[in-house]
Each structure stands twice: as structure tokens, then as C-alpha cells.
Amino acid sequence: MATPLVAVEHRTEPQDERTALTKEAFQRDFFNNLFYILGKFPTLATKNDYYQALAFVVRDRMLQRWISTAAAYTKQGSRTVAYFSAEFLMGPHLGNNLVNLGIHDEVRKAVTELGLDFNELLLEEDEPGLGNGGLGRLAACFIESLATLQIPSLGYGIRYEFGIFHQEIVDGWQTERTDKWLRFGNPWEIPRPEWAVHVKLGGYTEPYRDEFYRHRVRWVPDRLVAAVPYDTPILGYHTNTANTLRLWKAEAPESFDFAVFNRGDYYGAVMQKVSSENLSKVLYPNDEQLQGKELRLSQQYFFVSASLQDMFRILKIQKIPVERFHEKFAAQLNDTHPAIAVAELMRLLIDENVVPWEQAWDITRRTFAYTNHTLLPEALECWPLPLFAKLLPRHLEIIFEINARFLDEVRIRFYGDEERIARMSLIDERGERYVRMAHLACVGSHAINGVAELHSELLKQDVLRDFYELWPTRFGNKTNGVTPRRWMALSNPRLTKLVSSHIGDEWITDLSQLRRLEPLAEDAGFRQQWLDVKRACKCDFAAVALKKTGITIDPDSLFDVQVKRIHEYKRQHLNILHVVALYHRLRSNPNVDITPRTFIFGGKAAPGYHIAKLIIKLITSVGDVVNRDPAVRDRLKVVFLPNFNVKNGQRIYPAADLSEQVSTAGKEASGTGNMKFSMNGALTIGTMDGANIEIREEVGAENFFLFGLTTPEVGALKASGYNPANYLDGELKEVVELIRSGFFSRGDAELFRPLIDGLVHHDPYLVFADFDSYSKAQQQVSAAYQDRDHWARMSILNSARSGKFSSDRTIREYCDDIWKAPAVPIRLLTQEDVKV
Ligand code: 7GP
């Protein structure tokens, strides 16, 4: 009898041979894949070949679920969530799929028995980094939770050939390299060229009468691009559900360049192909900073149009009339990047399906809902009208019509308030004219939400105030969450084992169960085990840090971590100024008793964001001095871990003692890294911003290090005329002088001048105003860490009370309040069921 390799107790249906993996079947299939897919044998096989052989074994096990899921949805015509997002920051698939299939440990054993290093194979996967940061990673957590909750759903996005750039640190500076994640192929995707659609661009429109003498408009484009879907299965945890992430690749339509080709312009035809493929070539690396480039708008329209056309195809297969589009689909706009969908759905309904305007508008509004992810004005998308008209002439006409009807409604509600009309218009006409995408998203949606309580309130009071006054009931909050499968079960197996050995493993799908750890915070034995787990994770990370930076760090020091995109509002400079202050204290009084700390930074700067790049240079420069100074005696270390991404995140969060969440109050919409840290037992030092407020509320004020101005205080200080120079005294002054003197730049007093002068004279994010409060809170941290046993108690409580921050809770709220999408459990089909 073969030993079953799979834990089957959570499943009710009979398993076929391919799913109930035995060790023998695993090893047979593994080598079959090596031979027959990769064409290799052990002597020549690389680690990547073995990774792929393993990936295909796993993929085979997913396909039965995928097919069963698709068959059930098709047959039942299930209501489906379509999550529209220009970014999906998925991270590596293999480990997550093993966890969700419930075969992780068994497969690890089987691989190890073959004499291969399982962890090394996992690291071979080039992660799909198809996102910049929070917004893209949230989309990834959401589609995983949707699958786990068995909600029919499709993720729609772009299959960028190059994802977020690879960051290297050269001489302390960030340098960017292209991310060639598809270099060795991608075992997780299946192309579906048979479902390719054409996307039109440019040209002009003309009115005509159709065969029934009806007034119609025809869009005559000057360019066609083929959109080819690449599908990736998204497994639910221990369920039979496998939903689909459908990403579009741009190609030249064969038929279109035919004419050019026949005219003998072979070169022209090839160029056309090249320029079409550009559309999905690269992810724009800007996070919360608008790139007003034509190619970016083309990308947005490209994936939105392809996705909506795909949804019409699905309606047709399921024999659902187009008038019921909104009953079949709930579409979520992940920020304004896909907001053009409002105009595109109108166009498809009116121009291509001859639905009357009023009915089309009703369908459109009932279909869409919009999530805002930032309050930063520079991130609000506005497209210059001439650019818009050139690329999407028909959509501009439709937007004008939507706007005219909308402004009529505003005029009636707010009689005589012409200023309000100008503020709310979909077109900004204060100077050069722009299309305001956030306004388009608002008028075209039945629900609008922010991503944490504070952020949703600020949306109503500030950026979207006029819309709130017009439609108060459309506004709501959906506090973000993260998936505990990737961010605990997969990335922190030690903690998972410890927790499950005490409270069972139901917490993995019901994170509120972690509360049952609370009494264990009073159990000395458990606290010791908890600290042992943390220490082991810190040792793992120390090995990674040594390998990637050459810096040796002490696992018994306090690991103080800030990992996220580099941005002034996130205030990595506040953090590094404090590091310099500690260094200054040590040099001024070498025998001062300080808690040994390792400051760990990670994050990418947008390539054109000079100050952010200079902040990285300051961090690495301070590190160069501090890490080498014998007077420090290893009590301080500063590490900048290059190329922070999902893979690296999985090793950092478990190892952190302290989580830095130090944005200026009112600027960080939510944050989600803050949740990953807290779940894994890190304490937070943070401001009253984004989800920090809710984390503190859950874990208790006594288990959280609060500092800084609140949002109203920030507003008041700015209104009263903030002068940062007024705060430049005491320790802060010494710190600033030290940097200015060139101490960290080999005597070059100019290097950091743009950064330091910016702070002294402008400081838009109130770094100086918050410095003192931050420094004091850091002293409390140091003192608290001295009592390791009490620290363990606080750490346990952070984790135990993090249940709210599971993306399962978030997704349930979206489903109940906005999408109205019920779960559809999947029965596994057998070969019998799917006979043609
Ligand atoms: C981010 C927010 O900055 C972060 O606070 C939030 O947790 C995350 O979205 C998910 O909601 N925003 C972006 O990543 C972004 O690009 C511009 O926003 C639209």
C-alpha cells in the first residue's frame, strides 16, 4: 500500500489518483515532468528545472479543481465578482499553492527524500511582481480570500512582461534593473489565445443610421491591438475552489497588418507588431505619483476593454441577456486606474448592443463600485483632454454626455451653486482641461469606499466631500486586511506550529480564533516558546541579511524594521534621523546604556523620485559609518536590505520585533504591512494614521507605542504657518548639523543638502514637528525591550488580537455590503462527469 501524501480529512469527496498524491505518484510525476516537459535528466538539470518539475506536479493537482470550479460556475450562471486592477503583486505561487492544497509538509518530505533542498527549489521561482506596493498586494490578498471563501470571482489585469524593477544598491544608491520574471517560463499560467479580443485605439467617430434607421455612432479607430488572456488558477485554502486571475497580454492582430503587408511594407507591418506589444511591456514603477503618459492611459483602457468584452463573452455562453449584466457581475475598481471602465461599459452597451442610454447607465452604475487608496493629491489621476480625445474619442463623447446629465442633477440639488458645479464636473476647466478619473469613478459607481476608518472619514470630509454631500449613502469603509495563509501559515511555519499546537488550526480560516492565545500570554512556558520562535526567525533573517549585504547582525538585538515604498509621507527620514541621534548619544557618551538595536530598512523608490533616492543613500551612508565604528561596539547596526518584494517580506515580517508605521497623520490611507507585522508578533511604533488606529484599538494602547501629531493637529499646525526651523534645537539640531557637515558623506557637505534644506525650510510632512515625540516613544521601546518577558506578553497579545486584519473579514464585508455575492461550494468532478 502506498502512503498517502495528502491530508484529506478536510475533504468530503472521493479523491482521484492525481489529487490524493502518494509518494510514489509524486516521484513518478516529478521525474516525468523533468523528462517530458523540461527535456532534462539529473546530470544536466538545474535547480530551476527541478523547481519547474515540482511546479508542474502541483499544477496538475490544481487543474481538477480549476475545471470543476469553472464547470460549476458556468452551469449555475453564478454571480461573479470581477476585480479590476492594474496591479496584482502576487508573489511566488509554489509555496502558497502547496499550503492551500494541504500538501506542503508531505511534498517537502518527498522532495527532501530525493536529496534535493526544498527551500532552495522554492527560492528558484521568479515572483510575479506585477505591482508597486500596497494597492497591488491588496489585490493579491483579496483574490486569495475570495477563493478561500468560495466566492465566484475573476481578477482582471495586465500581464506585464516586466514587473516592478529589481533594485540593487550600488555605492549606496538605488539602481534599477529590469525584472525578467518570464525568462525561464511561467508554469502557473495557461494562455487562452482562443479567447483573445481586439481593443481599438485612436481614430475618430461618425454618426450613422443602422438597418432599422436608428441613430448610431461608429468609432473608426486607427489602431487595433489583440488582447490575449493568460489565466492563473487561484486556490482557496482547503477548499475545492480554484478561481481565475486573467491577465491580458498585448499582441498585434494578425489580420490588421495584412493590408500593410500586402502593400509591400513589411518593415511597417513588423513595427506595428512591436508597438502593439509595447502596451503590456512594463509596469509603471510609480507609487502614488501620477505618470501622465499616453502609454499608461492606453494600458488602462487596454485591460479594461478586454475584460469587459470577456464578460460579454461569458454572458453569451451562459445565455444571459446583456440587460442583466449587473446581475451576473459585480465589478470593483481598484482605485481609478480602471475607471475608464465606466465609459467603456456604456459604449459596449449603447454602441455595440443598442441598449438605450438610461438603461445602459442604470446597468453601469449597478455594476461598478470604487475603492480609493490615497489622499495624496499628486496621485489623483487627471488626463489632459487633448490626449484623451486622441486616444479615446468615443469615450470622451460619452463622458461629456455623462457629465451633462450629472451636472443637471447637481444643479437641481444645489440650486445656484455654480462653484460646486465647477468643482464636481468630470472635466477640470480651471486652466488646461483635464478628465478627472476619480469623478468618473464616483458617478459611475453605486458604492464608494476608503480602506481604513480614518481614511474613509477623510474622503468624506475632503477629497470627495462634494460627492458625499450629494450621495451620502453611497459612501462606506472597508478596512483592509491581509491573507493569513501567505502571511502566517506559509511565511512563519514555526509560529504556525506553535499556535496550532495550542488552539488547533481553525485560525487559518477564522483569524478571530487567535484570541484564544490571550490566556497563554500569562503562561511563562508559552512565553518562552514564543520567544524561541521569534529568535529562530531572527537567526534565519540574519543569515539572509549577511548573504545579501555582508553585514553581520545580532539576533539578540532588537530588530526594528521599516519596509515599504520609500516616500516622504512615509517618513523613512524620521527613522534615520533617530538612528543618527542614537549614534550621536553613543559617541558623546560611549558608556551610555542602550538597548542594542538593528535597524532594518527595505523598499523601492520610484526611479524619478530624487529625494526618495537620496533618503536611501542617507540610510546606507549612515549604515556605513555606524556599522564600522568600533566605538559603537555593535550596539547599533543599520541594514538596507535591497529589493524588498513579497519573497523578502516573507522572511522579514516573522523576524521583526518592532514595526515602524510612522507616516504623517492623515497621509497613509491604511497600510497593510502594519497588519503583517502585528500578526507575527511585532509591536508597533506608530502615528494615529490609517489602520494603525484600528490596530491600536484591537491590541490595546498598552501594547502599542504611539507618538506624533493627530490629523487635526497636523491641519492646525499647517494652518497656523508651520516653520520647521522652530523645532531645530537640542538633539535634532546636533543630528542635522552632523549630516550637514558631511560626516556621513566623506566630507561632502553638498550631498544631502537637498534633503536637509528641504526639511529645514519646508518639511511638508512635519518630520521635525514629530521628531521629539518619536524619540521619546523610541526610548519607551528601548526600556520595554529590557524586560524580555513582558515584551513577550505584549507580542503574544498583538498576534492574538490581530484577527480583524484578515482579508477574509474584509472580503466578507465587500460581499455583504457591496457585491451581494454568495459562496458557491464546488464538488470535485471526476473523469466520468466531464466526458464529452
Ligand atoms: C496604498 C496606500 O498607500 C496604503 O496605505 C494602502 O494600505 C494600500 O494602498 C492598499 O489600500 N496605495 C497605493 O499603493 C497606491 O498606489 C495610489 O495608491 C492609487
Side-chain angles (χ1 to χ4, degrees):
M1 240 294 276
T3 17
L5 250 173
V6 68
V8 288
E9 63 294 350
H10 61 274
R11 302 206 188 95
T12 47
E13 290 86 0
Q15 301 292 303
D16 74 359
E17 196 232 8
R18 293 176 68 78
T19 316
L21 196 52
T22 62
K23 193 160 70 187
E24 290 70 20
F26 169 81
Q27 296 182 343
R28 177 200 66 208
D29 291 357
F30 181 77
F31 285 108
N32 275 346
N33 292 342
L34 188 68
F35 302 149
Y36 306 127
I37 299 181
L38 297 153
K40 284 282 185 75
F41 55 97
T43 325
L44 290 190
T46 62
K47 270 182 210 152
N48 197 269
D49 291 326
Y50 283 124
Y51 151 69
Q52 290 203 48
L54 175 56
F56 282 113
V57 175
V58 176
R59 192 182 89 166
D60 284 350
R61 269 76 206 169
M62 297 164 70
L63 288 182
Q64 186 195 19
R65 286 172 171 68
W66 207 11
I67 292 163
S68 304
T69 304
Y73 295 167
T74 306
K75 189 164 162 212
Q76 301 173 34
S78 319
R79 180 160 171 80
T80 299
V81 175
Y83 198 80
F84 281 44
S85 180
E87 304 186 3
F88 285 91
L89 216 183
M90 298 302 295
H93 289 292
L94 176 55
N96 188 242
N97 287 334
L98 288 168
V99 166
N100 284 13
L101 277 174
I103 58 175
H104 184 276
D105 293 352
E106 292 81 354
V107 167
R108 177 163 44 73
K109 278 184 212 123
V111 169
T112 311
E113 259 182 46
L114 293 174
L116 295 164
D117 184 327
F118 177 71
N119 287 332
E120 256 181 31
L121 296 197
L122 251 56
L123 285 175
E124 275 298 310
E125 182 172 354
D126 272 317
E127 71 173 73
L130 311 186
N132 274 288
L135 169 146
R137 184 53 229 177
L138 187 76
C141 284
F142 278 9
I143 58 175
E144 197 272 350
S145 277
L146 279 161
T148 294
L149 294 172
Q150 304 179 290
I151 312 289
S153 54
L154 275 159
Y156 277 120
I158 302 173
R159 181 179 175 276
Y160 300 105
E161 185 178 334
F162 301 113
I164 186 65
F165 63 84
H166 182 93
Q167 178 194 56
E168 280 174 22
I169 301 297
V170 178
D171 190 26
W173 296 94
Q174 164 174 302
T175 58
E176 299 94 22
R177 289 182 182 284
T178 46
D179 160 56
K180 302 192 197 73
W181 71 288
L182 290 167
R183 192 171 28 177
F184 297 116
N186 174 5
W188 306 108
E189 66 184 7
I190 297 188
R192 309 276 192 202
E194 67 279 21
W195 291 336
V197 297
H198 281 174
V199 174
K200 304 179 203 177
L201 291 164
Y204 58 93
T205 66
E206 61 188 18
Y208 70 104
R209 297 263 189 159
D210 69 9
E211 66 271 35
F212 305 106
Y213 213 62
R214 293 174 301 196
H215 284 288
R216 307 268 297 267
V217 177
R218 177 179 339 177
W219 174 16
V220 185
D222 60 17
R223 211 146 65 93
L224 268 193
V225 176
V228 182
Y230 281 67
D231 287 357
T232 301
I234 305 297
L235 281 176
Y237 178 78
H238 292 195
T239 70
N240 294 327
T241 300
N243 285 331
T244 297
L245 171 61
R246 181 160 292 163
L247 302 179
W248 299 96
K249 174 179 192 284
E251 285 183 8
E254 282 304 327
S255 55
F256 194 67
D257 51 19
F258 222 73
V260 189
F261 185 70
N262 280 339
R263 266 188 267 119
D265 186 8
Y266 176 75
Y267 188 76
V270 173
M271 284 324 282
Q272 159 109 46
K273 185 169 160 60
V274 170
S275 87
S276 300
E277 288 175 354
N278 277 343
L279 272 184
S280 57
K281 189 62 75 180
V282 59
L283 167 75
Y284 278 94
N286 297 7
D287 176 78
E288 322 210 29
Q289 170 87 330
L290 180 67
Q291 260 284 12
K293 291 276 191 327
E294 177 175 336
L295 185 62
R296 170 76 172 173
L297 180 59
S298 309
Q299 286 185 334
Q300 297 182 348
Y301 177 63
F302 163 76
F303 96 85
V304 159
S305 175
S307 307
L308 287 167
Q309 291 184 58
D310 192 57
M311 290 154 78
F312 276 92
R313 178 186 61 80
I314 292 170
L315 283 186
K316 202 164 170 187
I317 298 175
Q318 300 182 8
K319 302 196 171 61
I320 302 172
V322 296
E323 289 77 12
R324 300 180 62 180
F325 191 95
H326 59 288
E327 293 173 28
K328 169 73 188 172
F329 291 111
Q332 193 68 27
L333 304 174
N334 199 22
D335 214 275
T336 56
H337 314 145
I340 188 62
V342 172
E344 174 68 354
L345 180 55
M346 284 300 284
R347 187 189 71 81
L348 290 167
L349 290 168
I350 295 166
D351 292 359
E352 307 212 341
N353 290 279
V354 214
V355 176
W357 181 282
E358 284 75 14
Q359 191 180 5
W361 186 237
D362 185 59
I363 293 168
T364 298
R365 270 202 181 184
R366 288 166 176 242
T367 299
F368 291 113
Y370 159 54
T371 306
N372 172 289
H373 292 268
T374 184
L375 297 162
L376 297 191
E378 63 266 34
L380 293 181
E381 291 193 296
C382 290
W383 293 104
L385 208 87
L387 188 155
F388 204 99
K390 186 177 135 220
L391 201 68
L392 303 168
R394 180 60 183 140
H395 297 79
L396 190 58
E397 291 172 359
I398 290 171
I399 286 171
F400 281 151
E401 181 64 24
I402 294 172
N403 198 33
R405 291 170 183 247
F406 164 60
L407 293 181
D408 279 345
E409 190 182 333
V410 180
R411 252 182 220 108
I412 291 168
R413 262 298 298 282
F414 299 95
Y415 182 74
D417 191 348
E418 283 304 313
E419 264 179 40
R420 184 183 296 261
I421 306 276
R423 286 200 308 269
M424 297 187 78
S425 173
L426 302 194
I427 312 295
D428 178 350
E429 312 202 63
R430 292 170 302 179
E432 307 241 299
R433 296 161 84 204
Y434 292 93
V435 182
R436 294 164 160 161
M437 300 310 274
H439 294 201
L440 179 62
C442 283
V443 300
S445 295
H446 63 277
I448 301 163
N449 73 281
V451 290
E453 292 285 353
L454 173 69
H455 171 235
S456 298
E457 280 310 309
L458 294 174
L459 278 181
K460 293 193 281 187
Q461 288 168 27
D462 207 39
V463 206
L464 300 178
R465 177 178 188 152
D466 291 321
F467 290 89
Y468 175 62
E469 284 171 7
L470 183 63
W471 300 311
T473 58
R474 283 193 204 177
F475 283 74
N477 171 248
K478 295 283 166 284
T479 297
N480 284 165
V482 302
T483 169
R485 270 73 65 186
R486 183 177 292 272
W487 296 114
M488 291 189 76
L490 173 63
S491 58
N492 202 344
R494 294 187 188 89
L495 195 72
T496 298
K497 203 169 150 215
L498 175 62
V499 168
S500 295
S501 71
H502 284 86
I503 64 169
D505 61 8
E506 272 175 41
W507 60 272
I508 297 174
T509 48
D510 173 9
L511 205 65
S512 65
Q513 300 247 355
L514 287 179
R515 286 260 173 198
R516 292 167 54 202
L517 293 173
E518 275 190 31
L520 291 161
E522 295 311 316
D523 173 336
F526 184 78
R527 285 200 298 276
Q528 191 53 51
Q529 289 179 301
W530 189 267
L531 289 175
D532 291 346
V533 165
K534 183 59 86 181
R535 193 171 188 288
C537 295
K538 290 168 78 174
C539 288
D540 283 357
F541 180 75
V544 173
L546 178 61
K547 188 158 161 241
K548 302 217 170 180
T549 67
I551 302 168
T552 303
I553 60 180
D554 173 9
D556 291 316
S557 66
L558 188 165
F559 280 15
D560 177 330
V561 188
Q562 186 170 22
V563 284
K564 50 181 78 234
R565 287 299 288 248
I566 312 293
H567 205 297
E568 287 161 278
Y569 88 78
K570 296 178 188 279
R571 300 201 294 192
Q572 282 91 355
H573 40 0
L574 176 59
N575 186 344
I576 196 70
L577 287 180
H578 168 251
V579 176
V580 174
L582 287 183
Y583 175 69
H584 178 70
R585 266 177 234 169
L586 266 179
R587 289 303 310 255
S588 315
N589 178 4
N591 294 320
V592 68
D593 182 26
I594 73 153
T595 304
R597 281 211 211 197
T598 303
F599 292 90
I600 297 157
F601 292 84
K604 295 174 185 176
Y609 188 173
H610 300 295
I611 290 290
K613 289 182 142 179
L614 196 53
I615 292 175
I616 294 179
K617 175 66 176 168
L618 178 59
I619 295 168
T620 55
S621 301
V622 170
D624 279 348
V625 170
V626 169
N627 298 345
R628 276 174 234 226
D629 189 336
V632 171
R633 285 189 276 114
D634 288 341
R635 287 171 292 175
L636 290 185
K637 281 276 164 79
V638 181
V639 176
F640 189 95
L641 189 83
N643 202 42
F644 177 61
N645 57 6
V646 174
K647 232 191 231 181
N648 289 326
Q650 287 177 198
R651 317 209 241 185
I652 293 175
Y653 297 114
D657 294 306
L658 187 67
S659 153
E660 297 268 354
Q661 306 300 335
V662 303
S663 53
T664 317
K667 296 295 177 191
E668 187 70 271
S670 162
T672 46
N674 47 5
M675 302 168 183
K676 295 164 198 167
F677 279 113
S678 180
M679 260 175 208
N680 285 282
L683 275 70
T684 303
I685 181 164
T687 49
M688 279 294 219
D689 201 16
N692 295 353
I693 299 173
E694 291 160 73
I695 292 176
R696 179 167 173 267
E697 191 172 292
E698 292 293 307
V699 306
E702 67 285 7
N703 302 306
F704 187 107
F705 299 96
L706 180 70
F707 77 95
L709 299 170
T710 61
T711 304
E713 286 165 355
V714 166
L717 181 55
K718 287 206 157 181
S720 72
Y722 171 57
N723 180 7
N726 293 345
Y727 295 81
L728 204 53
D729 56 12
E731 200 169 47
L732 180 59
K733 191 166 179 208
E734 315 236 30
V735 164
V736 166
E737 288 310 322
L738 196 59
I739 297 170
R740 264 195 171 146
S741 72
F743 185 82
F744 298 106
S745 40
R746 299 178 162 176
D748 180 353
E750 289 304 305
L751 183 62
F752 297 117
R753 186 193 279 282
L755 181 59
I756 298 299
D757 282 358
L759 287 173
V760 174
H761 300 302
H762 307 288
D763 191 15
Y765 297 105
L766 309 189
V767 172
F768 283 9
D770 272 346
F771 182 82
D772 198 49
S773 165
Y774 178 59
S775 182
K776 291 200 172 98
Q778 286 286 25
Q779 277 172 29
Q780 291 166 19
V781 170
S782 290
Y785 198 68
Q786 297 288 343
D787 183 351
R788 210 59 65 87
D789 195 47
H790 184 63
W791 186 278
R793 210 177 259 118
M794 296 195 288
S795 168
I796 293 165
L797 291 178
N798 261 268
S799 191
R801 297 172 179 172
S802 65
K804 175 175 174 186
F805 306 104
S806 165
S807 46
D808 297 343
R809 186 269 312 147
T810 314
I811 287 300
R812 266 198 205 93
E813 291 178 8
Y814 276 96
C815 283
D816 294 347
D817 304 342
I818 301 178
W819 301 333
K820 318 279 182 204
V824 175
I826 302 301
R827 180 181 68 86
L828 283 186
L829 299 179
T830 62
Q831 301 277 341
E832 276 306 296
D833 293 307
V834 291
K835 276 218 177 100
V836 280

